[in-house]
Amino acid sequence: MDWGTELWDQYDIIEKHTQSGLELVEKYVKFVKERTEIEQNYAKQLRNLSKKYNPKRSSKDEPECRLSSNQSFLDILNEMNDYAGQRELIAENLMMNVCIDLTKYLQELKQERKMYLMEAKKAQQCLESTYKQLDSSKKRFEREWREAERAAQYAEKTDQDINATKADVEKAKQQAHMRAHIAEECKNDYASQLQKYNKEQNQFYFNDMPLIFNKLQDLDERRVQKLAQGYILFSDTEKHVMPIIGKCLEGITKAGNNVNEKNDSMVVIEQNKSGFERPGDVEFEDYSQGINRASSDSSLGTPKGPMDLLGKNKSKNFWLFSKRSKPPVTEDFAHLPPEQRRKRLQQKLEEICKELQKEVDQSEALGKMKDVYEKNPQMGDPASLASQISQTSQNIERLRGELSKYETWLAEAGGRGDTLRYKAHSFNNNGAHDVHSPDGAHSDESTPDPSQAIYAEFDDDFEDEELTAPIGKCTAMYNFPGASEGTISMQEGEVLAVVEEDKGDGWTRVRRNNGDEGYIPTSYVTITLNK
C-alpha cells in the first residue's frame, strides 16, 4: 500500500505528517545532545574527584604510600580516571554518530521534502490555470450562445414584420448567422478546453500527485529508518565501551583484592621500628640509705616507664622521640631511631652510588671521545671537551667524598659497609686517567700508559662475560681504524653484529663473526635492530 493510491486526496495530512516526522528527528537530536552534556559533566566531575583525592607528587614518597591499602586506593583513583575517559568517549561518539550525523541528514530531508512540496504546488497551480481557461471558455460559450439566440429571434421577428424592409430583414439574418457562427466556435473551444482539463486532471490525480506522495512516503520511511538507527546507536555507543568500563571495574575489584592487611602491618613495622631495647626494670631507690637520686636520671635517651613510653608524661620529656620533643633533622640521620637510621643511610648510599655510576659512565664516554678526536682531528677538537671532563671529574670527587662519609656513618649505625659496585675509572682535567678503589679511596699509584687504563674495563668485560646474543646488525658507512684499546676496526660496507646499543655516549658495541668485539662510533654505521 502506498500513499499515492490510498491518500490521493490527503495532501494536507501528508504535509503535516512529514513535518511532524522531521520535528521528531530534531527533538531526538536535542535529547541526545543533552545526554552528551550530562556525560561530559559526569566525566569532568569524575576526573576532578580523582584529582582531588590523588596525592600530590611530593606526597607519593610518604611511608604510608607503601601500604597495600593506600596503593589500592591510588589504583582505584586511576581506574576512575580511565572510567571517566570512557564516559567522555560515549559523549564524543554520541555527538559525532548521532547528533551531527542526524542533523546533517535532517537538512537533506528538509531540502528534499521542500522540493516535493514545490512540485505538488506547481502541479496544483498548473491544473488550476487549466481550469480557469476552461471556465473562461465555458462562460464565453454561454455568453455567445445567448447572443446567437437573441440574434436569431430578432431576425425571425424582423422577417415577420410587414413594416420591415427587405434590407432590414437581410441584415438581421446576416447578424443572426454571424452570431451563430461565433457561438459554434466558442462551443468548439469550450469542448477543447474541457478535454484538455480532463486530461490534465487525470494526470494530476492519477500520475503527478501519486508520484509525489509516494516520494514523500519514501522520504518519511527513510527518515524513520535513520531515526531507528539513531535509537540503536544510543545504546550501542555505550555497549561499545562496556568491555573497557568492565575492565575498569574489574581493576577496582582487583585493587580491593590486592589489599593485604598482614603485609601492611609488616610495612608499618619496617618503617617505624626504632631498634631500641625495651626498658628494663626500674630499680628500687632506698632513700633511707642516702642513695643519690640524681644518678637514676642519667640516661635521657632511655624510657623511664610506661607513661614516658606512651607519651603521656607532660612534665618531663624523657622519651627522646616523642612528638613533644622532636629533635632537629641532621645530615647523618642521627635524629632517627637506630633501625630507621640504618635504612635511611643505606637508601642514601644507593642514591649516591647511582649518581656516581652515571658520572663515571659520562667520564668514560668523554675519555673515549677525546681519544678518538686526538687520533682523528677531523671528527672534533679534543680541547672542546676539557670543561666537560673537568666538571665530571669534580662531580666524581664530590660524590666519592659523600660516599665515604655516608659509609662511615652507616658503619657507626651498625649497618653493612659495602655499597653498590661501580666502575672505578674516571678522567682528570688533563684527560689522564685516575684509578680509584670501589670504596671511593684514591690509590697512590698512577697509570703510566693512559691507553692501558682507559679501556682496561672493556677487556675485563669481554673476558669475564659470556658472549651475549646479538640484538641487531649494522653496516659500516666509513672506514674506522679502531686504534684505541677497546675499539674495533671496520671497513666501509662491512656488516657487524650489534651486541649493545649506544647508551648516549656515541659508541656502539659490535662483534665480528670470528668473535672479536669492540666499540665503534655510532655515526659511522647504519643500525638495524631485531624486532
Side-chain angles (χ1 to χ4, degrees):
M1 297 176 70
D2 54 59
W3 291 2
T5 302
E6 305 298 331
L7 302 177
W8 64 271
D9 58 344
Q10 299 296 326
Y11 173 84
D12 292 340
I13 296 297
I14 291 176
E15 181 183 22
K16 183 178 179 181
H17 172 75
T18 52
Q19 177 62 30
S20 177
L22 297 180
E23 289 174 356
L24 178 60
V25 176
E26 290 180 333
K27 186 183 295 184
Y28 181 65
V29 169
K30 185 177 179 182
F31 164 75
V32 176
K33 192 173 294 184
E34 290 188 15
R35 162 73 191 278
T36 62
E37 292 174 358
I38 292 174
E39 290 290 350
Q40 289 169 342
N41 291 333
Y42 179 44
K44 183 178 180 180
Q45 290 175 356
L46 285 178
R47 287 195 184 278
N48 290 339
L49 183 65
S50 298
K51 184 178 180 181
K52 176 181 178 181
Y53 284 92
N54 218 319
K56 296 180 180 179
R57 188 171 299 176
S58 58
S59 302
K60 291 183 179 180
D61 297 330
E62 294 294 329
E64 290 79 6
C65 289
R66 292 181 56 191
L67 301 176
S68 63
S69 55
N70 290 53
Q71 187 58 52
S72 291
F73 181 55
L74 292 178
D75 292 341
I76 289 173
L77 295 177
N78 291 333
E79 293 293 349
M80 286 305 298
N81 201 53
D82 293 341
Y83 180 88
Q86 297 309 308
R87 306 314 304 189
E88 289 174 339
L89 186 60
I90 290 174
E92 181 181 346
N93 289 339
L94 283 176
M95 180 59 71
M96 295 295 297
N97 300 333
V98 178
C99 295
I100 294 179
D101 186 55
L102 270 183
T103 300
K104 181 180 178 182
Y105 188 73
L106 181 63
Q107 296 303 319
E108 295 174 357
L109 289 184
K110 285 182 176 180
Q111 291 297 324
E112 187 177 354
R113 176 178 176 273
K114 183 179 179 181
M115 179 181 68
Y116 295 151
L117 295 180
M118 287 180 65
E119 288 180 5
K121 288 183 178 180
K122 185 177 180 181
Q124 178 73 23
Q125 290 172 354
C126 184
L127 183 64
E128 289 176 355
S129 175
T130 305
Y131 180 78
K132 287 179 180 179
Q133 292 177 6
L134 172 64
D135 187 58
S136 175
S137 176
K138 177 182 175 182
K139 290 178 179 179
R140 183 184 176 194
F141 167 58
E142 181 183 6
R143 184 176 61 254
E144 293 298 331
W145 182 253
R146 288 175 181 172
E147 289 293 332
E149 282 185 339
R150 282 197 294 269
Q153 291 175 357
Y154 179 75
E156 185 178 354
K157 182 179 179 181
T158 303
D159 185 46
Q160 295 176 356
D161 188 357
I162 58 174
N163 296 320
T165 63
K166 187 175 181 180
D168 292 336
V169 172
E170 189 64 28
K171 181 179 179 182
K173 287 182 177 180
Q174 288 180 356
Q175 185 70 20
H177 178 73
M178 183 187 68
R179 285 292 179 184
H181 179 72
I182 293 174
E184 189 64 27
E185 287 182 349
C186 289
K187 179 181 178 181
N188 292 336
D189 182 63
Y190 169 61
S192 175
Q193 289 294 334
L194 181 62
Q195 186 179 12
K196 179 182 177 181
Y197 174 76
N198 287 335
K199 181 180 179 181
E200 290 195 12
Q201 181 177 251
N202 185 276
Q203 177 73 19
F204 178 81
Y205 284 110
F206 288 91
N207 295 97
D208 295 344
M209 292 308 294
L211 180 62
I212 292 172
F213 285 174
N214 288 340
K215 288 180 180 179
L216 287 169
Q217 180 182 0
D218 177 68
L219 177 148
D220 194 66
E221 289 176 355
R222 283 186 283 114
R223 186 267 309 170
V224 172
Q225 184 182 31
K226 187 72 172 181
L227 188 58
Q229 293 174 357
Y231 290 164
I232 296 172
L233 279 173
F234 187 81
S235 172
D236 287 349
T237 300
E238 188 158 355
K239 284 182 180 178
H240 181 71
V241 300
M242 277 299 182
I244 304 176
I245 289 178
K247 288 183 179 180
C248 293
L249 298 177
E250 288 174 6
I252 293 175
T253 303
K254 183 179 178 181
N257 293 331
N258 286 341
V259 175
N260 188 324
E261 65 278 6
K262 297 295 183 183
N263 184 67
D264 282 5
S265 295
M266 295 303 296
V267 170
V268 172
I269 293 173
E270 179 186 348
Q271 290 177 345
N272 300 286
K273 183 179 179 181
S274 68
F276 287 122
E277 295 294 333
R278 297 173 187 266
D281 295 339
V282 178
E283 298 179 359
F284 177 76
E285 300 180 31
D286 191 351
Y287 293 100
S288 63
Q289 300 299 322
I291 296 176
N292 185 5
R293 183 183 179 188
S295 62
S296 63
D297 296 335
S298 59
S299 178
L300 180 62
T302 304
K304 299 304 180 181
M307 294 299 290
D308 296 319
L309 181 63
L310 298 176
K312 294 180 180 178
N313 191 329
K314 306 301 181 183
S315 60
K316 288 186 70 176
N317 289 322
F318 293 106
W319 184 238
L320 183 60
F321 300 105
S322 67
K323 292 183 179 180
R324 298 181 63 84
S325 59
K326 187 174 182 180
V329 177
T330 58
E331 185 182 7
D332 61 354
F333 303 114
H335 62 288
L336 296 176
E339 187 73 18
Q340 300 303 315
R341 184 188 182 200
R342 283 193 293 271
K343 289 179 181 178
R344 291 296 299 274
L345 288 171
Q346 187 67 40
Q347 180 182 357
K348 186 68 175 180
L349 277 170
E350 291 174 358
E351 293 174 359
I352 294 174
C353 283
K354 289 180 182 179
E355 190 175 351
L356 180 58
Q357 183 64 63
K358 183 178 178 181
E359 293 293 336
V360 170
D361 290 343
Q362 177 70 11
S363 178
E364 291 174 354
L366 291 170
K368 287 187 286 185
M369 192 178 297
K370 180 180 179 181
D371 189 66
V372 171
Y373 285 178
E374 289 174 347
K375 292 180 172 57
N376 303 277
Q378 71 275 10
M379 294 183 65
D381 182 11
S384 64
L385 303 175
S387 61
Q388 297 182 52
I389 292 175
S390 174
Q391 183 62 44
T392 304
S393 298
Q394 293 176 14
N395 292 341
I396 290 174
E397 293 304 318
R398 175 180 56 81
L399 289 171
R400 280 181 171 148
E402 290 187 11
L403 188 69
S404 176
K405 179 172 61 175
Y406 277 94
E407 283 180 336
T408 303
W409 286 337
L410 181 60
E412 292 175 357
R416 295 179 301 170
D418 58 328
T419 57
L420 298 176
R421 303 289 296 177
Y422 59 88
K423 297 177 183 178
H425 305 94
S426 65
F427 299 89
N428 60 24
N429 296 343
N430 298 323
H433 199 269
D434 298 332
V435 179
H436 302 274
S437 60
D439 61 358
H442 294 267
S443 63
D444 296 333
E445 297 180 1
S446 60
T447 306
D449 185 0
S451 64
Q452 294 180 1
I454 292 175
Y455 299 107
E457 59 178 292
F458 299 117
D459 294 336
D460 293 342
D461 291 340
F462 297 157
E463 292 174 4
D464 297 340
E465 297 178 3
E466 297 181 1
L467 291 177
T468 56
I471 60 173
K473 63 180 180 179
C474 65
T475 304
M477 296 187 293
Y478 313 101
N479 295 333
F480 179 66
S484 302
E485 191 168 352
T487 61
I488 186 173
S489 63
M490 63 179 179
Q491 301 296 320
E492 182 179 352
E494 185 176 359
V495 179
L496 303 168
V498 178
V499 295
E500 184 180 315
E501 283 189 85
D502 187 343
K503 294 183 178 180
D505 55 8
W507 295 89
T508 299
R509 184 174 166 185
V510 298
R511 180 192 301 146
R512 284 202 180 89
N513 292 333
N514 61 8
D516 292 343
E517 290 189 12
Y519 285 86
I520 58 170
T522 305
S523 59
Y524 276 43
V525 294
T526 56
I527 299 176
T528 305
L529 298 178
N530 298 332
K531 295 184 179 179

Coordinates of all heavy atoms in Angstrom, one line a residue, residues 185-229:
E185 N -18.0 28.4 -32.7 CA -16.6 28.4 -32.4 C -16.3 28.4 -30.9 O -15.4 27.7 -30.4 CB -16.0 29.7 -33.0 CG -15.9 29.7 -34.5 CD -15.2 30.9 -35.1 OE1 -15.0 31.9 -34.3 OE2 -14.8 30.9 -36.2
C186 N -17.1 29.1 -30.1 CA -16.9 29.1 -28.7 C -17.3 27.7 -28.1 O -16.6 27.3 -27.2 CB -17.8 30.2 -28.0 SG -17.3 31.8 -28.3
K187 N -18.3 27.1 -28.7 CA -18.6 25.8 -28.3 C -17.5 24.8 -28.5 O -17.1 24.0 -27.7 CB -19.9 25.3 -29.0 CG -20.3 23.9 -28.7 CD -21.6 23.5 -29.5 CE -22.0 22.1 -29.1 NZ -23.2 21.7 -29.9
N188 N -16.9 24.9 -29.7 CA -15.7 24.0 -30.0 C -14.5 24.3 -29.1 O -13.8 23.4 -28.7 CB -15.3 24.2 -31.5 CG -16.4 23.7 -32.5 OD1 -17.2 22.8 -32.1 ND2 -16.4 24.3 -33.7
D189 N -14.3 25.6 -28.8 CA -13.2 25.9 -27.9 C -13.5 25.4 -26.5 O -12.6 24.9 -25.8 CB -13.0 27.4 -27.9 CG -11.9 27.9 -27.0 OD1 -10.7 27.5 -27.3 OD2 -12.1 28.6 -26.0
Y190 N -14.7 25.6 -26.1 CA -15.1 25.0 -24.8 C -14.9 23.5 -24.7 O -14.3 23.0 -23.7 CB -16.5 25.4 -24.4 CG -17.1 24.7 -23.2 CD1 -16.5 24.9 -22.0 CD2 -18.2 23.9 -23.4 CE1 -17.1 24.3 -20.9 CE2 -18.7 23.2 -22.2 CZ -18.1 23.4 -21.0 OH -18.7 22.8 -19.9
A191 N -15.3 22.8 -25.7 CA -15.1 21.4 -25.8 C -13.6 21.0 -25.7 O -13.2 20.1 -25.1 CB -15.8 20.8 -27.0
S192 N -12.8 21.8 -26.5 CA -11.4 21.5 -26.5 C -10.7 21.8 -25.1 O -9.9 21.0 -24.6 CB -10.7 22.4 -27.5 OG -9.3 22.3 -27.5
Q193 N -11.1 22.9 -24.5 CA -10.6 23.2 -23.1 C -11.1 22.1 -22.1 O -10.3 21.8 -21.2 CB -11.1 24.6 -22.7 CG -10.4 25.7 -23.4 CD -8.9 25.8 -23.2 OE1 -8.4 25.4 -22.1 NE2 -8.2 26.4 -24.2
L194 N -12.3 21.7 -22.3 CA -12.8 20.7 -21.3 C -12.0 19.4 -21.5 O -11.6 18.7 -20.5 CB -14.3 20.4 -21.6 CG -14.9 19.4 -20.7 CD1 -14.9 19.8 -19.3 CD2 -16.4 19.1 -21.2
Q195 N -11.7 19.0 -22.7 CA -10.9 17.8 -23.0 C -9.5 17.9 -22.4 O -9.0 17.0 -21.8 CB -10.9 17.5 -24.5 CG -10.2 16.2 -24.8 CD -10.2 16.0 -26.3 OE1 -10.5 16.9 -27.1 NE2 -9.8 14.8 -26.7
K196 N -8.9 19.1 -22.6 CA -7.6 19.4 -22.1 C -7.6 19.3 -20.5 O -6.7 18.8 -19.9 CB -7.1 20.8 -22.6 CG -5.7 21.2 -22.0 CD -5.4 22.6 -22.5 CE -4.0 23.0 -22.0 NZ -3.6 24.3 -22.4
Y197 N -8.6 19.9 -19.9 CA -8.6 20.0 -18.5 C -8.8 18.5 -17.9 O -8.2 18.2 -16.9 CB -9.8 20.9 -18.0 CG -9.9 20.8 -16.5 CD1 -9.1 21.5 -15.6 CD2 -11.0 20.0 -15.9 CE1 -9.2 21.4 -14.2 CE2 -11.1 20.0 -14.5 CZ -10.3 20.6 -13.7 OH -10.4 20.6 -12.3
N198 N -9.7 17.8 -18.5 CA -9.9 16.4 -18.0 C -8.7 15.6 -18.1 O -8.4 14.8 -17.3 CB -11.1 15.8 -18.8 CG -12.4 16.4 -18.4 OD1 -12.6 16.9 -17.3 ND2 -13.4 16.3 -19.3
K199 N -7.9 15.8 -19.2 CA -6.7 15.1 -19.4 C -5.7 15.5 -18.3 O -5.0 14.6 -17.7 CB -6.1 15.4 -20.8 CG -4.8 14.6 -21.1 CD -4.3 15.0 -22.5 CE -3.0 14.2 -22.7 NZ -2.5 14.6 -24.1
E200 N -5.6 16.8 -18.0 CA -4.6 17.3 -17.0 C -5.1 16.9 -15.6 O -4.3 16.5 -14.8 CB -4.4 18.8 -17.1 CG -3.7 19.2 -18.4 CD -3.2 20.6 -18.3 OE1 -3.2 21.2 -17.2 OE2 -2.8 21.2 -19.3
Q201 N -6.4 16.9 -15.4 CA -6.9 16.5 -14.1 C -6.6 15.0 -13.8 O -6.2 14.6 -12.7 CB -8.4 16.7 -14.0 CG -9.0 16.3 -12.7 CD -10.5 16.7 -12.6 OE1 -10.9 17.6 -11.9 NE2 -11.3 15.9 -13.4
N202 N -6.8 14.2 -14.9 CA -6.5 12.8 -14.8 C -5.0 12.6 -14.5 O -4.6 11.8 -13.7 CB -6.9 12.1 -16.1 CG -6.7 10.6 -16.0 OD1 -5.6 10.1 -16.2 ND2 -7.8 9.9 -15.6
Q203 N -4.1 13.4 -15.2 CA -2.7 13.3 -15.0 C -2.3 13.7 -13.6 O -1.5 13.1 -12.9 CB -2.0 14.2 -16.0 CG -0.5 14.3 -15.9 CD 0.2 13.0 -16.3 OE1 -0.4 12.2 -17.1 NE2 1.4 12.8 -15.9
F204 N -3.0 14.7 -13.1 CA -2.8 15.3 -11.8 C -3.1 14.3 -10.7 O -2.3 14.0 -9.8 CB -3.6 16.6 -11.6 CG -3.4 17.2 -10.2 CD1 -2.3 18.0 -9.9 CD2 -4.4 17.0 -9.2 CE1 -2.2 18.6 -8.7 CE2 -4.2 17.6 -8.0 CZ -3.1 18.4 -7.7
Y205 N -4.3 13.7 -10.8 CA -4.8 12.8 -9.7 C -4.3 11.4 -9.8 O -4.2 10.6 -8.8 CB -6.3 12.8 -9.6 CG -6.9 14.1 -9.0 CD1 -7.5 15.0 -9.8 CD2 -6.7 14.3 -7.7 CE1 -8.0 16.2 -9.2 CE2 -7.2 15.5 -7.1 CZ -7.8 16.4 -7.8 OH -8.3 17.5 -7.3
F206 N -3.9 10.9 -11.0 CA -3.5 9.5 -11.2 C -2.0 9.3 -11.4 O -1.6 8.2 -11.4 CB -4.3 8.9 -12.3 CG -5.8 8.7 -12.0 CD1 -6.7 9.6 -12.2 CD2 -6.2 7.5 -11.4 CE1 -8.1 9.4 -11.9 CE2 -7.5 7.2 -11.1 CZ -8.5 8.2 -11.3
N207 N -1.3 10.4 -11.7 CA 0.1 10.3 -12.0 C 1.0 11.2 -11.2 O 1.8 10.8 -10.4 CB 0.4 10.5 -13.5 CG -0.3 9.5 -14.4 OD1 -1.4 9.7 -14.9 ND2 0.4 8.3 -14.5
D208 N 0.7 12.6 -11.4 CA 1.6 13.5 -10.7 C 1.6 13.5 -9.2 O 2.6 13.3 -8.6 CB 1.3 14.9 -11.2 CG 1.5 15.1 -12.7 OD1 2.2 14.2 -13.3 OD2 1.0 16.1 -13.3
M209 N 0.4 13.7 -8.7 CA 0.3 13.7 -7.2 C 0.6 12.3 -6.5 O 1.3 12.3 -5.5 CB -1.1 14.2 -6.8 CG -1.3 15.6 -7.1 SD 0.0 16.8 -6.5 CE -0.3 16.6 -4.8
P210 N 0.1 11.2 -7.1 CA 0.5 9.9 -6.5 C 2.1 9.7 -6.5 O 2.6 9.2 -5.5 CB -0.1 8.9 -7.4 CG -1.4 9.6 -7.9 CD -0.9 11.0 -8.1
L211 N 2.7 10.2 -7.6 CA 4.2 10.0 -7.6 C 4.8 10.9 -6.5 O 5.8 10.4 -5.8 CB 4.7 10.5 -9.0 CG 6.2 10.4 -9.2 CD1 6.7 9.0 -9.1 CD2 6.6 10.9 -10.6
I212 N 4.3 12.1 -6.4 CA 4.9 13.0 -5.3 C 4.6 12.4 -3.9 O 5.5 12.4 -3.1 CB 4.3 14.4 -5.5 CG1 4.8 15.1 -6.8 CG2 4.7 15.3 -4.3 CD1 4.2 16.4 -7.1
F213 N 3.4 11.9 -3.7 CA 3.0 11.4 -2.4 C 3.9 10.1 -2.1 O 4.3 9.9 -1.0 CB 1.5 11.0 -2.4 CG 0.6 12.2 -2.3 CD1 -0.8 12.0 -2.4 CD2 1.1 13.4 -2.1 CE1 -1.6 13.1 -2.3 CE2 0.3 14.5 -2.0 CZ -1.1 14.4 -2.1
N214 N 4.1 9.3 -3.2 CA 5.0 8.1 -3.0 C 6.4 8.5 -2.6 O 7.1 7.9 -1.8 CB 5.0 7.3 -4.2 CG 3.6 6.5 -4.4 OD1 2.9 6.4 -3.4 ND2 3.3 6.1 -5.6
K215 N 6.9 9.6 -3.3 CA 8.2 10.1 -2.9 C 8.3 10.6 -1.5 O 9.3 10.4 -0.8 CB 8.6 11.3 -3.9 CG 9.0 10.8 -5.3 CD 9.3 12.0 -6.2 CE 9.7 11.6 -7.6 NZ 10.0 12.8 -8.4
L216 N 7.2 11.3 -1.1 CA 7.2 11.7 0.3 C 7.1 10.6 1.3 O 7.6 10.6 2.4 CB 6.0 12.7 0.5 CG 6.1 14.1 -0.1 CD1 4.8 14.8 -0.1 CD2 7.2 14.9 0.7
Q217 N 6.4 9.5 0.8 CA 6.3 8.3 1.7 C 7.7 7.7 1.8 O 8.1 7.3 2.9 CB 5.3 7.3 1.0 CG 5.2 6.0 1.8 CD 4.2 5.0 1.1 OE1 3.7 5.3 0.1 NE2 4.1 3.9 1.7
D218 N 8.4 7.6 0.7 CA 9.8 7.0 0.7 C 10.7 7.9 1.6 O 11.4 7.3 2.4 CB 10.3 7.0 -0.7 CG 11.7 6.5 -0.7 OD1 12.0 5.3 -0.4 OD2 12.6 7.3 -1.0
L219 N 10.5 9.2 1.5 CA 11.3 10.1 2.4 C 11.0 9.8 3.8 O 11.9 9.8 4.7 CB 11.0 11.5 2.0 CG 11.6 12.7 2.8 CD1 11.9 13.9 1.9 CD2 10.8 13.1 4.0
D220 N 9.7 9.7 4.1 CA 9.3 9.5 5.5 C 9.8 8.2 6.1 O 10.2 8.1 7.2 CB 7.8 9.6 5.6 CG 7.4 9.8 7.1 OD1 7.7 10.8 7.7 OD2 6.7 8.9 7.6
E221 N 9.7 7.1 5.2 CA 10.2 5.8 5.7 C 11.7 5.8 5.9 O 12.2 5.2 6.8 CB 9.8 4.8 4.6 CG 8.3 4.5 4.6 CD 7.9 3.5 3.5 OE1 8.8 3.1 2.7 OE2 6.7 3.2 3.5
R222 N 12.4 6.5 5.0 CA 13.9 6.6 5.2 C 14.2 7.4 6.5 O 15.1 7.1 7.2 CB 14.6 7.3 4.0 CG 14.7 6.4 2.8 CD 15.5 7.0 1.7 NE 14.7 8.0 0.9 CZ 14.9 9.3 0.8 NH1 15.9 9.8 1.5 NH2 14.1 10.1 0.1
R223 N 13.4 8.5 6.7 CA 13.6 9.2 8.0 C 13.3 8.4 9.2 O 14.1 8.4 10.1 CB 12.6 10.4 7.9 CG 12.7 11.4 9.1 CD 11.8 11.1 10.2 NE 10.4 10.9 9.8 CZ 9.5 10.5 10.7 NH1 9.8 10.2 11.9 NH2 8.2 10.3 10.2
V224 N 12.3 7.5 9.1 CA 12.0 6.6 10.3 C 13.1 5.6 10.5 O 13.6 5.3 11.6 CB 10.7 5.9 10.0 CG1 10.4 4.8 11.1 CG2 9.5 6.9 10.1
Q225 N 13.6 5.1 9.3 CA 14.7 4.1 9.4 C 16.0 4.7 10.0 O 16.7 4.1 10.8 CB 15.0 3.5 8.0 CG 16.0 2.4 8.0 CD 16.3 1.9 6.6 OE1 16.2 2.7 5.6 NE2 16.6 0.6 6.5
K226 N 16.3 5.9 9.5 CA 17.5 6.6 10.0 C 17.4 6.9 11.5 O 18.3 6.8 12.3 CB 17.7 7.9 9.3 CG 19.0 8.6 9.6 CD 20.2 7.9 9.0 CE 21.5 8.7 9.2 NZ 22.7 8.0 8.6
L227 N 16.2 7.3 11.9 CA 15.9 7.6 13.3 C 16.0 6.3 14.2 O 16.6 6.4 15.3 CB 14.5 8.2 13.5 CG 14.1 8.8 14.8 CD1 15.1 9.8 15.3 CD2 12.7 9.4 14.8
A228 N 15.5 5.2 13.6 CA 15.7 4.0 14.3 C 17.1 3.6 14.5 O 17.5 3.1 15.6 CB 15.0 2.8 13.6
Q229 N 18.0 3.8 13.5 CA 19.4 3.6 13.7 C 20.0 4.5 14.8 O 20.8 4.1 15.5 CB 20.1 3.8 12.3 CG 19.7 2.9 11.3 CD 20.3 3.2 9.9 OE1 21.0 4.3 9.8 NE2 20.1 2.4 8.9

